[in-house]
Amino acid sequence: MGIQRFLSSRAGKRFYNIAYCWGACLVILGAVFKIAHMPYDNLFLMIGLFTEVFIFFISGFDVPATDYKWDKVFPQLKENGKSQAEEVSLPDPTGEMAARYAEQMKRLDDNLTRLNEAYEEQIKKVSAGSAAVNPDTFVSIEVETSRLVNQVQLLNNQYARMLEALNVPEVKGGKKK
């Protein structure tokens, strides 16, 4: 098969990679153009989609990856029909490792318990705080803020008229006009 041989070669893999990446780029570019209503949006999208169709079509001719039998390469991995990796155990005659492991697990459990308690306490505080907040307060704050903005604008206008009446030149950027 010529296609399979080509796709398994270095040049074939490179071609496949380039075509796949360019197709994906054109699809994304076409989608961006389509969303932004830019010219040639349909063209980029269609070229990209057709490239992806072509890539997926030729990927059917690609040879699947080889499943290696490592026990044939490393016979020590398999003995008497059983994997030695299953039988390996570390000697611990005094049980010191097990005791250290149990101690570490106990510390981890204590830390998680404290963390969970702190989290629950935070949730209770947030719930209590949100229950205490009155939504009408925010409405009155918004009304007062808009009133304050209006009054500051009126004050600025009045001040500008006073400066104009007194023939005081405007100061912009620290320099007189």
Side-chain angles (χ1 to χ4, degrees), residues 166-177:
L166 295 172
N167 290 325
V168 175
E170 286 186 37
V171 176
K172 290 202 177 183
K175 295 180 181 177
K176 289 185 179 179
K177 271 188 157 181

Side-chain angles (χ1 to χ4, degrees), residues 82-142:
K82 287 181 82 177
S83 172
Q84 277 191 337
E86 297 169 2
E87 299 173 6
V88 172
S89 63
L90 296 174
D92 190 12
T94 62
E96 185 179 321
M97 293 289 283
R100 284 185 18 202
Y101 177 75
E103 179 186 330
Q104 291 288 335
M105 291 304 290
K106 176 71 173 134
R107 285 181 36 205
L108 178 63
D109 184 48
D110 291 342
N111 286 341
L112 287 175
T113 302
R114 287 196 311 255
L115 184 62
N116 192 31
E117 289 170 356
Y119 177 68
E120 288 175 356
E121 184 66 29
Q122 288 293 324
I123 289 176
K124 287 177 186 174
K125 286 180 181 178
V126 168
S127 297
S130 65
V133 172
N134 185 0
D136 295 332
T137 305
F138 291 113
V139 172
S140 66
I141 289 173
E142 185 179 355

Side-chain angles (χ1 to χ4, degrees), residues 15-31 43-56:
F15 166 76
Y16 185 79
N17 186 38
I18 289 171
Y20 189 86
C21 291
W22 284 6
C25 287
L26 287 173
V27 168
I28 293 170
L29 187 64
L43 178 69
F44 282 124
L45 192 58
M46 294 312 292
I47 290 173
L49 288 173
F50 283 128
T51 305
E52 291 298 318
V53 166
F54 173 71
I55 290 299
F56 287 124

Side-chain angles (χ1 to χ4, degrees), residues 66 70 76 101 106 126 135 159:
T66 306
W70 290 107
Q76 63 268 27
Y101 177 75
K106 176 71 173 134
V126 168
Y159 183 68

Side-chain angles (χ1 to χ4, degrees), residues 141-158:
I141 289 173
E142 185 179 355
V143 168
E144 289 298 320
T145 303
S146 77
R147 280 185 52 215
L148 177 65
V149 166
N150 289 336
Q151 288 175 351
V152 168
Q153 286 175 345
L154 289 173
L155 183 62
N156 280 340
N157 291 339
Q158 189 67 23

